[in-house]
Amino acid sequence: KQWYQRRVRGVVFKALLFSAQGRLLPNLTEMDSGLELNRLWEDRDVRFDIPLSQIKTRPGERLIDHLDSIEDTKGNNGERGRLMVTNLRIIWHSKIFPQINLSVGFNSVVEVTTRSAKSKLRGQTEALYILTRCNNTRFEFIFSNLVPDTPRLF
């Protein structure tokens, strides 16, 4: 009976993932069918300074794009880093100190806009603003592209 209940929970979990807002979702055949909902945190949490092992993509998570020379203008102004976008989250980490990083799950994102921001490394520039809510706490992230004269904002 317990085996059956675990199996049913796994099937319900998979159904919830497939129905989530039309996003690119993990290949569930690669994931453990006994995976419980609280073990998958990457798509719903905002975490700071996570271990390097958690920055790596998990089974089923796919890297969609990455940008080098991105500054976390609000949290780490003056620090050049890399921004990676996966099908579950956005990851930023410092190039000099990779232990300085953040992970923003897409299900915690409330609003995404672009506005003008002041960067230590680039001056006044157009920046990506991401407003999130996680565990009743709101966070705002500001990312600036440090490549001059690039047609690509993000």
Side-chain angles (χ1 to χ4, degrees), residues 99-130:
Q99 65 271 20
I100 299 174
N101 58 62
L102 59 96
S103 173
V104 178
F106 284 130
N107 285 330
S108 67
V109 174
V110 175
E111 183 181 356
V112 178
T113 59
T114 57
R115 287 187 262 168
S116 183
K118 188 167 184 170
S119 163
K120 277 188 181 177
L121 298 174
R122 181 126 187 246
Q124 200 69 21
T125 184
E126 192 77 9
L128 179 70
Y129 281 68
I130 300 175

Side-chain angles (χ1 to χ4, degrees), residues 71-78 117-120 125 127 142-144:
E71 176 187 46
D72 177 10
T73 308
K74 186 165 187 177
N76 296 288
N77 202 344
K118 188 167 184 170
S119 163
K120 277 188 181 177
T125 184
I142 305 171
F143 297 106
S144 301

Side-chain angles (χ1 to χ4, degrees), residues 9 14 22 60 127 153:
R9 275 187 283 160
K14 288 179 183 179
L153 180 59

